[in-house]
């Protein structure tokens, strides 16, 4: 399970950087170990600091928004690390004063690319059978003119004069806590520590260009609405031609005319004429994956009865085992009768003259009344 970083900071998913910082500051003031030496508060402070570090980094935030967890698999400073493992006071200062107190040094010019997300509409049958589709993706790809180097011809990057290659510039600010040295990424080289005086004419020095490509996406049988298929290294190429991120294809399942899906089970309604419900009949349904399938309505079927066809539902994504098809029976009483119909029904009535309408308790368990039916539904009896 990915951690709820937004929830930890008490903000919504669409939160702006400014609001994010404000929310973190507020919580940091409350839980900072200097203010609140309580152990629980320290643990809380660690959590909110890690959450802030993740969400204030566009790269990591994107991973969170894609449903991932950037701190998983040792990809960063997890909650388990000791106090200070996430940068300690530096991060607090960064939140308070807009720059890091801790020195970070230059960032690499070549960085991993970000993941991309693509939505794909599939109908229920496609979800059941799986499908291979061609899709057009618009992503950053490696610049073929400079092969990601970002330089023109044989020219070379040069050390940045503004930061002397350190990638950051420092300023001294006066604050409530006295003089504070803050550093921020160098504006000239954007933290890289070097500049490209003669950039590639095609990519402008970024090492990558935007391109539209067609790729083939294989969707496995059994997918459902909201599921994501990951295509490794088909996302954005990173700055400086860095390794591509992943492409996620998110399934949007279209509603089916007949069947409603509930996990691996399918549901449909069958309307059965009164007499057929009494005598029994067979209805043919065009089932997903199975084609024409007979559903036997036994004699004496009651309104609201459910007939379950085991193994005629959707396939499970991992095992391929099939769910069930639930046919919900609606018994239809004729609204108009001609003289002949009326006569036949009167004769039928004469045969069964002990059956009359009666008022019964809404709670009577054997009555088949509303409440007992509801109870059966909930308890599965
Ligand atoms: Zn280039
Ligand atoms: Zn610089």
């Amino acid at each position: 399970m990915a951690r709820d970083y937004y929830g930890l900071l008490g903000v919504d998913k669409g939160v702006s950087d400014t609001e994010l910082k404000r929310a973190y500051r507020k919580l940091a003031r409350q839980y900072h170990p200097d203010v609140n030496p309580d152990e629980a508060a320290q643990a809380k402070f660690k959590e909110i600091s890690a959450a802030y570090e993740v969400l204030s980094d566009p790269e990591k935030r994107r991973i969170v928004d894609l449903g991932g967890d950037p701190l998983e698999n040792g990809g960063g400073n997890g909650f388990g690390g000791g106090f200070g493992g996430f940068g300690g006071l530096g991060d607090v200062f960064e939140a308070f004063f807009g720059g890091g107190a801790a020195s970070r040094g230059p960032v690499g010019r070549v960085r991993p690319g970000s993941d991309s997300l693509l939505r794909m509409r599939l109908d229920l049958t496609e979800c059941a059978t799986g499908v291979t589709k061609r899709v057009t993706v618009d992503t950053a790809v490696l610049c073929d003119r400079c092969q990601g180097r970002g330089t023109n011809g044989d020219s070379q990057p040069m050390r940045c004069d503004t930061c002397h290659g350190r990638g950051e510039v420092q300023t001294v600010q006066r604050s409530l806590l006295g003089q504070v040295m803050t550093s921020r990424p160098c504006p000239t080289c954007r933290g890289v520590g070097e500049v490209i005086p003669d950039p590639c004419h095609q990519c402008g020095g970024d090492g990558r260009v935007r391109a539209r490509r067609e790729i083939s996406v294989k969707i496995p049988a059994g997918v459902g609405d909201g599921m994501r298929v990951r295509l490794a290294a088909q996302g954005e190429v990173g700055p400086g031609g860095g390794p591509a991120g992943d492409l996620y294809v998110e399934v949007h399942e279209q509603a089916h005319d007949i069947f409603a899906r509930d996990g691996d089970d399918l549901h449909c309604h069958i309307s059965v004429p009164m007499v057929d419900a009494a005598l029994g009949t067979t209805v043919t349904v065009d089932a997903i994956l199975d084609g024409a399938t007979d559903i036997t309505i036994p004699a004496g079927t009651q309104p609201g009865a459910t007939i379950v066809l085991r193994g005629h539902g959707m396939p499970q994504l991992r095992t391929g085992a099939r769910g069930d098809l639930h046919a919900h029976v609606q018994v239809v009483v004729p609204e108009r009768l001609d003289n002949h119909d009326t006569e036949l029904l009167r004769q039928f009535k004469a045969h069964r003259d002990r059956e009359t309408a009666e008022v019964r308790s809404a709670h009577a368990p054997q009555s088949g009344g509303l409440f007992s039916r509801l109870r059966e539904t909930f308890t599965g009896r």
Side-chain angles (χ1 to χ4, degrees), residues 167-195:
E168 58 187 16
V169 288
Q170 294 182 328
T171 46
V172 175
Q173 288 177 333
R174 296 182 62 81
S175 77
L176 291 173
L177 304 177
Q179 282 203 341
V180 179
M181 174 97 94
T182 60
S183 53
R184 58 194 167 89
C186 169
T188 308
C189 61
R190 281 188 279 173
V192 175
E194 55 182 36
V195 290

Short mmCIF file of all heavy atoms in Angstrom, two decimals, residues 167-195:
data_model
loop_
_atom_site.label_atom_id
_atom_site.label_comp_id
_atom_site.label_asym_id
_atom_site.label_seq_id
_atom_site.Cartn_x
_atom_site.Cartn_y
_atom_site.Cartn_z
N GLY A 167 26.63 24.59 -8.01
CA GLY A 167 25.23 24.30 -8.28
C GLY A 167 24.27 25.05 -7.39
O GLY A 167 23.06 24.98 -7.56
N GLU A 168 24.81 25.76 -6.39
CA GLU A 168 23.92 26.50 -5.49
C GLU A 168 24.55 27.82 -5.12
O GLU A 168 25.77 27.98 -5.16
CB GLU A 168 23.62 25.67 -4.24
CG GLU A 168 24.86 25.29 -3.47
CD GLU A 168 24.57 24.34 -2.32
OE1 GLU A 168 23.49 23.74 -2.31
OE2 GLU A 168 25.43 24.23 -1.44
N VAL A 169 23.71 28.75 -4.76
CA VAL A 169 24.19 30.04 -4.30
C VAL A 169 23.66 30.24 -2.88
O VAL A 169 22.58 29.76 -2.54
CB VAL A 169 23.74 31.19 -5.22
CG1 VAL A 169 24.50 31.14 -6.54
CG2 VAL A 169 22.24 31.15 -5.46
N GLN A 170 24.47 30.95 -2.06
CA GLN A 170 24.09 31.10 -0.66
C GLN A 170 23.79 32.53 -0.31
O GLN A 170 24.40 33.45 -0.84
CB GLN A 170 25.21 30.57 0.25
CG GLN A 170 25.37 29.07 0.08
CD GLN A 170 26.41 28.49 0.97
OE1 GLN A 170 27.39 29.14 1.29
NE2 GLN A 170 26.20 27.24 1.38
N THR A 171 22.83 32.73 0.56
CA THR A 171 22.53 34.07 1.05
C THR A 171 22.38 34.00 2.56
O THR A 171 22.04 32.96 3.11
CB THR A 171 21.22 34.60 0.45
OG1 THR A 171 20.23 33.58 0.55
CG2 THR A 171 21.37 35.02 -0.99
N VAL A 172 22.65 35.11 3.22
CA VAL A 172 22.49 35.18 4.67
C VAL A 172 21.25 36.02 4.96
O VAL A 172 21.08 37.11 4.43
CB VAL A 172 23.73 35.82 5.33
CG1 VAL A 172 23.51 35.98 6.83
CG2 VAL A 172 24.95 34.96 5.06
N GLN A 173 20.37 35.46 5.76
CA GLN A 173 19.13 36.17 6.10
C GLN A 173 19.05 36.34 7.60
O GLN A 173 19.48 35.48 8.35
CB GLN A 173 17.91 35.37 5.61
CG GLN A 173 17.75 35.39 4.11
CD GLN A 173 16.58 34.53 3.68
OE1 GLN A 173 16.20 33.58 4.35
NE2 GLN A 173 16.00 34.88 2.54
N ARG A 174 18.46 37.46 8.01
CA ARG A 174 18.17 37.62 9.43
C ARG A 174 16.77 37.08 9.68
O ARG A 174 15.89 37.25 8.87
CB ARG A 174 18.23 39.10 9.83
CG ARG A 174 19.64 39.68 9.65
CD ARG A 174 19.66 41.12 10.08
NE ARG A 174 19.32 41.27 11.50
CZ ARG A 174 20.18 41.08 12.50
NH1 ARG A 174 21.41 40.75 12.23
NH2 ARG A 174 19.80 41.24 13.75
N SER A 175 16.62 36.42 10.80
CA SER A 175 15.32 35.83 11.08
C SER A 175 15.10 35.79 12.57
O SER A 175 15.95 36.21 13.35
CB SER A 175 15.24 34.41 10.53
OG SER A 175 15.95 33.55 11.40
N LEU A 176 13.98 35.27 12.98
CA LEU A 176 13.66 35.12 14.41
C LEU A 176 14.71 34.28 15.12
O LEU A 176 14.96 34.44 16.30
CB LEU A 176 12.31 34.43 14.56
CG LEU A 176 11.09 35.25 14.12
CD1 LEU A 176 9.86 34.36 14.18
CD2 LEU A 176 10.92 36.45 15.04
N LEU A 177 15.32 33.38 14.39
CA LEU A 177 16.28 32.47 14.99
C LEU A 177 17.71 32.99 14.85
O LEU A 177 18.67 32.27 15.03
CB LEU A 177 16.18 31.09 14.34
CG LEU A 177 14.80 30.43 14.37
CD1 LEU A 177 14.83 29.11 13.61
CD2 LEU A 177 14.36 30.20 15.81
N GLY A 178 17.85 34.25 14.48
CA GLY A 178 19.17 34.82 14.29
C GLY A 178 19.55 34.77 12.83
O GLY A 178 18.69 34.63 11.95
N GLN A 179 20.84 34.87 12.55
CA GLN A 179 21.28 34.86 11.16
C GLN A 179 21.23 33.43 10.63
O GLN A 179 21.73 32.51 11.27
CB GLN A 179 22.70 35.39 11.05
CG GLN A 179 22.77 36.90 11.13
CD GLN A 179 24.01 37.42 10.48
OE1 GLN A 179 24.98 36.69 10.29
NE2 GLN A 179 24.01 38.70 10.14
N VAL A 180 20.63 33.31 9.48
CA VAL A 180 20.51 31.97 8.91
C VAL A 180 21.09 31.98 7.51
O VAL A 180 20.76 32.83 6.69
CB VAL A 180 19.03 31.53 8.85
CG1 VAL A 180 18.94 30.15 8.23
CG2 VAL A 180 18.42 31.55 10.23
N MET A 181 21.98 31.03 7.29
CA MET A 181 22.56 30.88 5.95
C MET A 181 21.67 29.95 5.16
O MET A 181 21.38 28.84 5.59
CB MET A 181 23.95 30.26 6.10
CG MET A 181 24.60 29.92 4.79
SD MET A 181 25.72 31.22 4.28
CE MET A 181 27.25 30.54 4.94
N THR A 182 21.20 30.45 4.04
CA THR A 182 20.39 29.56 3.21
C THR A 182 21.05 29.41 1.85
O THR A 182 21.75 30.31 1.38
CB THR A 182 18.97 30.12 2.99
OG1 THR A 182 19.07 31.38 2.35
CG2 THR A 182 18.22 30.28 4.30
N SER A 183 20.83 28.28 1.26
CA SER A 183 21.36 28.11 -0.09
C SER A 183 20.21 27.67 -0.99
O SER A 183 19.25 27.03 -0.54
CB SER A 183 22.47 27.07 -0.11
OG SER A 183 22.03 25.87 0.49
N ARG A 184 20.28 28.06 -2.23
CA ARG A 184 19.23 27.65 -3.16
C ARG A 184 19.90 27.30 -4.48
O ARG A 184 21.06 27.70 -4.73
CB ARG A 184 18.20 28.77 -3.35
CG ARG A 184 18.79 30.05 -3.85
CD ARG A 184 17.83 31.22 -3.70
NE ARG A 184 18.52 32.47 -3.90
CZ ARG A 184 18.66 33.06 -5.09
NH1 ARG A 184 18.13 32.51 -6.15
NH2 ARG A 184 19.34 34.18 -5.20
N PRO A 185 19.22 26.57 -5.33
CA PRO A 185 19.83 26.17 -6.59
C PRO A 185 20.24 27.40 -7.40
O PRO A 185 19.52 28.40 -7.39
CB PRO A 185 18.71 25.41 -7.31
CG PRO A 185 17.81 24.95 -6.22
CD PRO A 185 17.88 26.01 -5.15
N CYS A 186 21.39 27.30 -8.03
CA CYS A 186 21.90 28.42 -8.83
C CYS A 186 20.94 28.73 -9.97
O CYS A 186 20.55 27.84 -10.73
CB CYS A 186 23.28 28.05 -9.39
SG CYS A 186 23.88 29.19 -10.64
N PRO A 187 20.53 30.00 -10.11
CA PRO A 187 19.56 30.35 -11.16
C PRO A 187 20.15 30.27 -12.57
O PRO A 187 19.43 30.06 -13.54
CB PRO A 187 19.15 31.79 -10.82
CG PRO A 187 20.27 32.33 -9.99
CD PRO A 187 20.88 31.15 -9.28
N THR A 188 21.46 30.41 -12.68
CA THR A 188 22.08 30.41 -14.01
C THR A 188 22.12 28.99 -14.60
O THR A 188 21.72 28.76 -15.73
CB THR A 188 23.53 30.96 -13.94
OG1 THR A 188 23.50 32.21 -13.27
CG2 THR A 188 24.12 31.10 -15.33
N CYS A 189 22.57 28.05 -13.78
CA CYS A 189 22.75 26.69 -14.30
C CYS A 189 21.65 25.76 -13.78
O CYS A 189 21.66 24.58 -14.05
CB CYS A 189 24.12 26.14 -13.90
SG CYS A 189 24.34 26.06 -12.10
N ARG A 190 20.71 26.31 -13.05
CA ARG A 190 19.62 25.55 -12.44
C ARG A 190 20.13 24.37 -11.62
O ARG A 190 19.62 23.26 -11.70
CB ARG A 190 18.62 25.09 -13.50
CG ARG A 190 17.68 26.24 -13.89
CD ARG A 190 16.57 25.79 -14.78
NE ARG A 190 17.00 25.69 -16.16
CZ ARG A 190 16.28 25.18 -17.14
NH1 ARG A 190 15.10 24.69 -16.88
NH2 ARG A 190 16.74 25.14 -18.37
N GLY A 191 21.22 24.63 -10.89
CA GLY A 191 21.70 23.64 -9.93
C GLY A 191 22.67 22.61 -10.48
O GLY A 191 23.17 21.77 -9.75
N VAL A 192 22.92 22.68 -11.78
CA VAL A 192 23.75 21.64 -12.39
C VAL A 192 25.24 21.89 -12.15
O VAL A 192 26.04 20.96 -12.07
CB VAL A 192 23.44 21.54 -13.91
CG1 VAL A 192 24.38 20.56 -14.59
CG2 VAL A 192 21.99 21.14 -14.12
N GLY A 193 25.63 23.17 -12.05
CA GLY A 193 27.03 23.48 -11.83
C GLY A 193 27.80 23.72 -13.11
O GLY A 193 28.93 24.18 -13.10
N GLU A 194 27.17 23.38 -14.24
CA GLU A 194 27.81 23.70 -15.52
C GLU A 194 26.78 24.22 -16.51
O GLU A 194 25.58 23.99 -16.35
CB GLU A 194 28.56 22.48 -16.08
CG GLU A 194 27.73 21.23 -16.23
CD GLU A 194 28.56 20.06 -16.77
OE1 GLU A 194 29.75 19.94 -16.41
OE2 GLU A 194 28.00 19.28 -17.57
N VAL A 195 27.28 24.95 -17.48
CA VAL A 195 26.39 25.49 -18.52
C VAL A 195 26.89 25.02 -19.88
O VAL A 195 28.04 24.62 -20.03
CB VAL A 195 26.37 27.05 -18.48
CG1 VAL A 195 25.65 27.53 -17.24
CG2 VAL A 195 27.78 27.60 -18.56
#
